[in-house]
Amino acid sequence: MHMLLLGIALLEYLKSISGTAVGLLMQDYGCWLSMKAARIESKGVTLGFRAPQFQLPEPLTGKVWALEDFEAHPALLVMFICNHCPFVKYLKKDIVKLTKFYMKKGLAVVAISSNSAATHPQDGPEFMAEDAKLFGYPFPYLYDESQEVARDFGAVCTPEFYVFKKDGRRPFELVYHGQFDDSRPSNNNIPVTGRDLSLAIDRVLSGQLVPSEQKPRYLAIELGYPFLRKINATDTKTYATRTIIFLQNDGTLKPLAIELSKPHPQADSFGPVSKVYMPVSEGVEASIWFLAKAFVVVNDATHHQLCSQWLNTHAVVEPFIIATNRHLSVVHPIHKLLLPHYRDTMNINVLARNVLVNAEGIIESTFLGGAYSVEMSSFVYKDWVFTEQGLPHDLLKRGVAVEDPTSPQCLHLLIEDYPYAVDGLDIWVAIKLWVEEYVNFYYKSDAAIVQDSELQAFWKEVVEVGHGDLKNATWWFKMQNRVELIEACAILIWIASALHAAVNFGQYPYGGYILNRPTKSRRLMPEKGSAEYDEVSKNFQKAYLKTITPKNDALTDLTILEVLSRHASDEQYLGQRNEGELWTSDSLPLESFKRFGRKLAEIEQKLIGRNNDESLRNRYGPVKMPYTLLYPSSEEGLTCRGIPNSISI
Ligand SMILES: *[C@@H]1O[C@H](CO)[C@@H](O)[C@H](O)[C@H]1NC(C)=O
Ligand SMILES: CC(=O)N[C@H]1CO[C@H](CO)[C@@H](O)[C@@H]1O
Ligand SMILES: [Fe+2]
């Protein structure tokens, strides 16, 4: 079972998430609290991945094992397990049965526990030795105290199963990374059989190909704030949250577990204090699960405003606008290309600085971050990478897609029915094609780019002044050829148009009901036995209202979300220019721009078709919320659709 850490766009816009319990417990990562806010990283490994070297002690015997010790075998099963995890506990006996059976047929097996003994003493080495004895583990059970081996394997939860094939002298190659079977501790209807894992082992031992159709099933969304201590010292309180979501066969997502972590009372070096909550449908525990979800949503709503919206769209575009105005004359082709995408941005950013993101402004007073809001967003900016902002790169970076040279966009979505990604890729490809035709018309060679002194001065200012905090980053385009200019312009147009539209115009429709999408939390999860816990059990609504955004702030939030989600009457949409054909007298670029407009109209029809396709459950599912945010056109007002050329609100 492949784990992915994915961006929050998914959580933000796939709200069809609810349902009954499927149990799973994640492994604790002592290091994760120090992660940058919502840093998103793919932990998945792909088939063909070479088994990493390791050297780990076996607590039962004291022996140290290494990968080489298994080299004489045709196949190796590596399992990440631990003592306490309920899911592993549920499978332990069957794991023993299955491994005994296949070890007789030549399979090498090793189990690794990477759990921190600090947060889970019951996973410490002496208890591992006991467990190995108690269950009669036929395989060595190794202790990965530093968690380095787990990281090398990309393992982030327990149990995780990896089957490697050994072909003569070639290194161990991954042929299976998937589940034991469909059974889950909370679902007695599906018996434990080990079917999926045995099938893979049978195949590899008999020299057959292991089917590569191994759906990644678990997704993790992490929101960790390095600001937790500071925030908790104010009158808002929250946790770093980690959510594990199950990708079901119908393509919809179901939350399996939420981990809430807070800093250790003594020091960060003690690791976070974490607790895992799982879905419960009745009684006080159901209310507790509801609260756990609310903490995730609060972080998500805050990250959405400060990072997805303010930082990643509004703020990052500003330096480009300033540098364009300073260095590219109004008749410069790149100035003409980008101008519509700058149209309303400075104006709205000034307004935002006056009432929204200013000190004691609306964001500070009604969202979780409080006085640390802008500080948090500038902290996250340090990890911003311009070249990763185009949609394909963004999807790869977030681990929701893998490279696939056979597909038109060169990538394969791991969640096939992911409306933002699917619709966005169509828009991205159209933008890229338009920019490519345009740039190639004006620049007949790469040398022409190097020799364009206005363009070079523009770019130098963007990198060294506008984005000066990141000027030493090595990822900036050097702006030496057309490929770089095309990609840079396409990324910029994408950020200003579709990316902003996707994060902005759904805010009221998706998040305006603040009870469902609270923006701050005022107290932590109640402890069993406390008066607060008692209140949760007796009068949950009251307890919930005391926990989330207070009434006045909720009114402010819903009002502002409504205002922000509206299109002005003079909005200018992607593929349109208000000045008609007057913006250039060059006929080829004009023709090309018209083709771009027609392509967008075609895409809109295609998106409408997708939203009517009953098999796409994230558009046409029980929630009945079609994904319309990337329809290019719109009327004035609150329409939940429309891609303006520029960041206009
Ligand atoms: C960039 O590197 C130079 C030279 O090492 C250093 O002096 C400067 O402080 C760095 N600037 C930033 C913003 O990191
Ligand atoms: C309620 C709670 O746990 N608050 C903590 C938040 O963080 C501050 C600073 O570390 C602690 O002093 C509080 O106890
Ligand atoms: Fe906006």
Side-chain angles (χ1 to χ4, degrees):
M1 55 202 84
H2 207 93
M3 288 280 313
L4 301 165
L5 304 184
L6 71 147
I8 53 166
L10 191 68
L11 186 64
E12 282 165 357
Y13 293 125
L14 292 183
K15 281 294 158 76
S16 53
I17 302 168
S18 72
T20 54
V22 184
L24 172 88
L25 204 82
M26 302 140 293
Q27 191 169 309
D28 291 308
Y29 267 54
C31 58
W32 80 277
L33 250 194
S34 63
M35 277 181 34
K36 306 277 159 73
R39 185 168 135 213
I40 292 138
E41 190 181 343
S42 166
K43 299 270 179 149
V45 289
T46 47
L47 300 185
F49 165 80
R50 306 258 166 100
Q53 300 293 334
F54 58 80
Q55 273 205 325
L56 293 172
E58 180 184 10
L60 181 64
T61 60
K63 180 176 169 185
V64 173
W65 293 79
L67 184 64
E68 296 93 80
D69 297 327
F70 305 98
E71 285 202 326
H73 297 260
L76 167 67
L77 166 66
V78 179
M79 303 177 281
F80 285 84
I81 62 174
C82 66
N83 287 2
H84 84 274
C85 155
F87 198 171
V88 176
K89 275 185 173 162
Y90 185 68
L91 296 178
K92 273 179 195 170
K93 284 195 183 124
D94 292 276
I95 288 176
V96 170
K97 231 193 287 176
L98 181 143
T99 50
K100 274 191 176 149
F101 179 80
Y102 284 106
M103 285 171 84
K104 281 190 204 127
K105 297 182 159 195
L107 180 75
V109 181
V110 60
I112 299 173
S113 169
S114 310
N115 258 9
S116 156
T119 51
H120 293 281
Q122 69 273 47
D123 285 331
E126 57 277 35
F127 296 102
M128 285 176 62
E130 250 174 46
D131 228 40
K133 221 185 300 170
L134 183 68
F135 287 89
Y137 283 167
F139 43 79
Y141 184 24
L142 314 181
Y143 184 41
D144 173 26
E145 188 176 7
S146 68
Q147 305 182 330
E148 251 166 57
V149 176
R151 271 194 289 275
D152 289 347
F153 277 80
V156 285
C157 69
T158 54
E160 283 212 62
F161 301 95
Y162 299 77
V163 179
F164 294 90
K165 163 182 91 166
K166 182 92 173 89
D167 230 347
R169 297 171 65 175
R170 291 171 56 87
F172 279 111
E173 252 177 50
L174 185 68
V175 291
Y176 180 80
H177 180 206
Q179 61 177 5
F180 196 68
D181 55 26
D182 283 330
S183 71
R184 298 289 178 268
S186 57
N187 186 343
N188 295 326
N189 298 328
I190 304 173
V192 181
T193 57
R195 201 186 60 123
D196 296 310
L197 184 60
S198 345
L199 191 70
I201 298 173
D202 275 332
R203 295 262 174 116
V204 61
L205 288 179
S206 60
Q208 298 174 61
L209 284 179
V210 178
S212 60
E213 185 53 30
Q214 295 164 23
K215 271 202 173 170
R217 303 304 285 274
Y218 295 113
L219 314 158
I221 295 178
E222 298 199 347
L223 289 160
Y225 281 112
F227 292 88
L228 269 184
R229 274 182 201 281
K230 291 182 181 174
I231 291 175
N232 271 1
T234 70
D235 52 10
T236 56
K237 312 273 172 219
T238 195
Y239 295 95
T241 56
R242 172 153 50 173
T243 310
I244 301 288
I245 290 176
F246 183 61
L247 177 58
Q248 304 182 102
N249 285 335
D250 69 356
T252 59
L253 303 170
K254 192 177 245 188
L256 294 184
I258 290 171
E259 182 185 48
L260 302 180
S261 304
K262 58 179 184 176
H264 196 279
Q266 279 160 282
D268 285 346
S269 54
F270 290 88
V273 180
S274 303
K275 200 165 169 199
V276 172
Y277 298 86
M278 287 195 270
V280 178
S281 51
E282 275 169 30
V284 60
E285 290 294 322
S287 304
I288 295 291
W289 168 243
F290 197 97
L291 278 177
K293 289 195 285 187
F295 284 110
V296 175
V297 172
V298 166
N299 281 352
D300 189 39
T302 301
H303 184 274
H304 176 87
Q305 279 310 335
L306 293 171
C307 302
S308 309
Q309 165 113 242
W310 171 248
L311 170 67
N312 286 345
T313 68
H314 287 253
V316 297
V317 168
E318 245 183 59
F320 290 90
I321 302 176
I322 295 170
T324 300
N325 283 301
R326 284 194 184 151
H327 295 285
L328 298 177
S329 61
V330 291
V331 293
H332 191 286
I334 298 301
H335 192 138
K336 288 187 177 182
L337 171 70
L338 297 175
L339 191 62
H341 305 290
Y342 296 159
R343 182 173 180 251
D344 297 311
T345 310
M346 292 310 267
N347 186 44
I348 188 64
N349 284 5
V350 168
L351 285 174
R353 286 194 176 91
N354 281 334
V355 298
L356 276 179
V357 298
N358 53 317
E360 295 174 8
I362 290 174
I363 300 290
E364 283 199 1
S365 53
T366 68
F367 278 79
L368 175 79
Y372 305 105
S373 296
V374 172
E375 194 186 333
M376 287 189 327
S377 115
S378 49
F379 182 83
V380 172
Y381 170 66
K382 294 190 171 41
D383 278 342
W384 182 79
V385 177
F386 175 70
T387 49
E388 287 177 348
Q389 302 302 304
L391 183 62
H393 267 112
D394 180 56
L395 296 170
L396 288 170
K397 177 193 68 188
R398 289 194 279 135
V400 285
V402 291
E403 286 186 54
D404 174 6
T406 62
S407 86
Q409 283 123 11
C410 289
L411 47 83
H412 169 71
L413 288 175
L414 296 178
I415 305 169
E416 284 163 20
D417 178 20
Y418 178 4
Y420 166 70
V422 175
D423 297 357
L425 283 170
D426 284 338
I427 305 280
W428 166 264
V429 169
I431 293 175
K432 184 85 190 260
L433 184 65
W434 146 241
V435 173
E436 209 164 57
E437 289 177 358
Y438 185 89
V439 167
N440 285 333
F441 177 79
Y442 290 104
Y443 294 90
K444 299 295 182 209
S445 69
D446 289 342
I449 303 255
V450 179
Q451 287 154 13
D452 182 340
S453 56
E454 286 189 19
L455 183 70
Q456 293 301 329
F458 154 72
W459 194 249
K460 188 170 157 59
E461 163 142 344
V462 165
V463 176
E464 296 185 3
V465 183
H467 281 288
D469 286 355
L470 299 174
K471 72 173 175 189
N472 291 342
T474 51
W475 44 254
W476 283 107
F477 295 127
K478 304 283 175 281
M479 211 41 86
Q480 298 293 301
N481 55 52
R482 287 174 292 179
V483 170
E484 289 181 329
L485 179 60
I486 290 164
E487 184 75 6
C489 292
I491 291 173
L492 198 50
I493 294 173
W494 166 261
I495 294 174
S497 62
L499 177 58
H500 179 262
V503 295
N504 187 73
F505 295 99
Q507 293 189 93
Y508 186 70
Y510 284 93
Y513 187 55
I514 306 298
L515 289 175
N516 197 36
R517 193 166 164 78
T519 57
K520 64 160 89 155
S521 41
R522 293 179 286 157
R523 53 187 199 181
L524 297 174
M525 194 64 109
E527 298 291 338
K528 251 187 197 146
S530 67
E532 286 86 3
Y533 195 91
D534 204 39
E535 187 174 36
V536 167
S537 106
K538 293 206 175 101
N539 189 345
F540 176 61
Q541 289 199 2
K542 200 166 162 196
Y544 183 63
L545 291 175
K546 280 186 187 168
T547 306
I548 61 158
T549 321
K551 226 184 277 175
N552 278 340
D553 291 350
L555 288 174
T556 307
D557 284 336
L558 85 87
T559 310
I560 200 75
L561 293 181
E562 204 220 301
V563 171
L564 294 178
S565 304
R566 289 181 166 275
H567 292 290
S569 57
D570 71 337
E571 193 94 88
Q572 197 187 78
Y573 297 93
L574 197 60
Q576 302 174 359
R577 292 184 73 132
N578 286 359
E579 66 277 50
E581 300 194 352
L582 298 178
W583 63 280
T584 180
S585 48
D586 293 327
S587 60
L588 279 169
L590 267 183
E591 275 313 307
S592 174
F593 186 67
K594 279 189 207 154
R595 266 200 303 283
F596 176 50
R598 285 197 296 273
K599 183 73 202 171
L600 290 169
E602 259 171 49
I603 291 174
E604 185 162 306
Q605 290 311 308
K606 201 160 140 192
L607 307 196
I608 293 170
R610 282 184 193 137
N611 279 327
N612 287 326
D613 179 347
E614 292 185 33
S615 70
L616 300 175
R617 305 306 288 163
N618 291 321
R619 300 171 183 270
Y620 202 102
V623 175
K624 301 224 164 42
M625 188 91 182
Y627 186 79
T628 58
L629 289 173
L630 290 178
Y631 288 1
S633 75
S634 174
E635 306 287 316
E636 172 187 355
L638 194 62
T639 59
C640 201
R641 59 180 283 178
I643 306 178
N645 271 330
S646 74
I647 296 161
S648 55
I649 185 108

